[in-house]
Amino acid sequence: MSGLQHHWDTYWQGKGGESQAVNAPGIARELAVFWNTHAGGALEGRPGARLLDLACGAGVVALESARAAQARCVDLQIVCMDIALEALLAAREGLSGAGNVSVIAGDAGALPFAAGSFDLVFSQFGVEYAGMDALSQAPVVLAEGGELAFLCHYKDGAIHAESLRNLRVWDAVETSGLLNLALDLLETAYAADEGKGSQEGLHTCGVAYRQAAEQTGALAQNSDGEAAQNVLRLLGDIAQLIRRRAAYDRDDARGWIRAQTRSCAAVRQRLQDMTAAALDAGQVQAVLAAWREQGFDVPDPDALTLGDDTKPGAWLLKAIRT
């Protein structure tokens, strides 16, 4: 397994098949409506079609496309592709009643399909993670009359700004060494309970942990968003674990802190990837220029606002093989 695949598998293990890239339920519903409507329009006049949900995640785009096809009695064959096997398992489960669906593991930067294989190629907050070359080459698999539609992260937009705020909080957890210090304090406290070690050592560990906890807690209290809430909850859980350590199995207590360390690292990496993958206007124009050079009909990009945000959250990029 490649490092990239391992990272995305770790991310999707934590997601449990929830909506891809967007945590706010209202925005997730808004995106579902968008894809149902968009797919419905793209399927008009087609008795049948082949759809590729590229970098599919849990398959939310494929699911709404299948619903649109069923409402119009269109025979839709769907292929969901993602680099992460855990994402494909979530997609397979979520699409179990959606009709003709197959899943395939693959890298969006090296598509394993012949040119002209699909009538529709859709992606939501996915293919941009594979880089500019993947974006530039994606339309090659479109058949004549086929349509590509990608929603991509908008740099300096609403989702990007929220991700940066969340990343700042998780960066503080990492740089403060909070969870390593929590584990050191737990181990030292257990040793003190057994009459081992020294009270001076316990005091030193306690001071170091409290300093890290105060630093990260202050930042979280002055921030908004999911990361701030999760960090404040984490601090409360750590305090309770250490205070009531006698009630817990020592190995279980250690294991919980280590699991939190892995989980926090995965979330932080995810946010780093998301902010790095977001496209600015220059990158978008470079992608569209590459599509036009390949002979595709490419309309100007749209900047979509999502939820109550006034700033755009996503680019809508489209290409048509005429």
Side-chain angles (χ1 to χ4, degrees):
M1 180 186 296
S2 69
L4 182 62
Q5 183 182 343
H6 175 74
H7 161 60
W8 284 107
D9 274 334
T10 300
Y11 169 73
W12 282 105
Q13 284 172 354
K15 290 295 285 185
E18 296 173 7
S19 60
Q20 176 174 328
V22 177
N23 293 313
I27 293 179
R29 287 192 295 270
E30 187 176 339
L31 289 170
V33 171
F34 168 85
W35 283 112
N36 190 285
T37 302
H38 188 87
L43 291 168
E44 286 295 337
R46 299 179 189 267
R50 298 157 294 170
L51 165 66
L52 172 63
D53 184 357
L54 186 56
C56 66
V60 294
V61 174
L63 179 59
E64 291 304 323
S65 299
R67 288 171 173 166
Q70 290 168 0
R72 292 161 178 78
C73 298
V74 175
D75 179 19
L76 183 63
Q77 301 175 40
I78 299 174
V79 175
C80 292
M81 194 186 93
D82 201 285
I83 196 171
L85 299 180
E86 290 291 335
L88 295 174
L89 291 174
R92 178 179 288 166
E93 180 178 356
L95 291 159
S96 59
N100 191 346
V101 179
S102 59
V103 300
I104 182 171
D107 185 346
L111 294 178
F113 309 110
S117 295
F118 297 96
D119 303 294
L120 303 173
V121 179
F122 293 162
S123 182
Q124 174 179 296
F125 300 138
V127 68
E128 64 266 39
Y129 288 94
M132 293 291 286
D133 287 346
L135 281 164
S136 298
Q137 296 303 315
V140 72
V141 297
L142 281 177
E144 184 176 349
E147 177 185 325
L148 173 149
F150 289 167
L151 285 183
C152 298
H153 287 296
Y154 189 110
K155 188 171 185 179
D156 298 326
I159 293 175
H160 185 251
E162 180 185 2
S163 298
L164 287 173
R165 289 194 298 271
N166 286 333
L167 179 57
R168 184 166 174 251
V169 174
W170 290 117
D171 279 345
V173 171
E174 174 66 22
T175 57
S176 70
L178 177 77
L179 288 160
N180 288 333
L181 291 169
L183 185 58
D184 288 344
L185 178 57
L186 179 70
E187 296 284 15
T188 305
Y190 273 129
D193 294 341
E194 297 172 345
K196 301 174 183 177
S198 67
Q199 288 301 310
E200 181 181 356
L202 180 59
H203 175 74
T204 299
C205 287
V207 169
Y209 174 74
R210 282 194 296 274
Q211 288 176 342
E214 289 171 1
Q215 173 187 335
T216 55
L219 179 59
Q221 287 173 347
N222 289 297
S223 303
D224 56 10
E226 184 183 16
Q229 296 172 15
N230 287 343
V231 167
L232 292 173
R233 187 181 305 116
L234 176 64
L235 291 171
D237 290 343
I238 292 172
Q240 177 174 290
L241 174 67
I242 293 173
R243 185 171 58 250
R244 300 185 58 207
R245 59 188 176 275
Y248 301 103
D249 178 83
R250 184 180 297 195
D251 287 339
D252 289 345
R254 290 170 178 150
W256 181 83
I257 292 180
R258 288 170 179 149
Q260 296 305 308
T261 302
R262 292 191 297 271
S263 176
C264 291
V267 171
R268 180 169 176 258
Q269 182 65 56
R270 165 67 169 168
L271 289 167
Q272 288 176 334
D273 291 346
M274 182 184 292
T275 53
L279 303 178
D280 61 28
Q283 290 172 307
V284 166
Q285 290 303 323
V287 170
L288 301 187
W291 292 353
R292 291 185 180 111
E293 288 176 3
Q294 296 172 62
F296 296 97
D297 182 11
V298 181
D300 291 335
D302 289 328
L304 302 186
T305 56
L306 300 169
D308 297 328
D309 292 314
T310 57
K311 297 174 67 175
W315 293 105
L316 172 57
L317 311 182
K318 295 191 288 186
I320 300 169
R321 183 186 287 277
T322 55

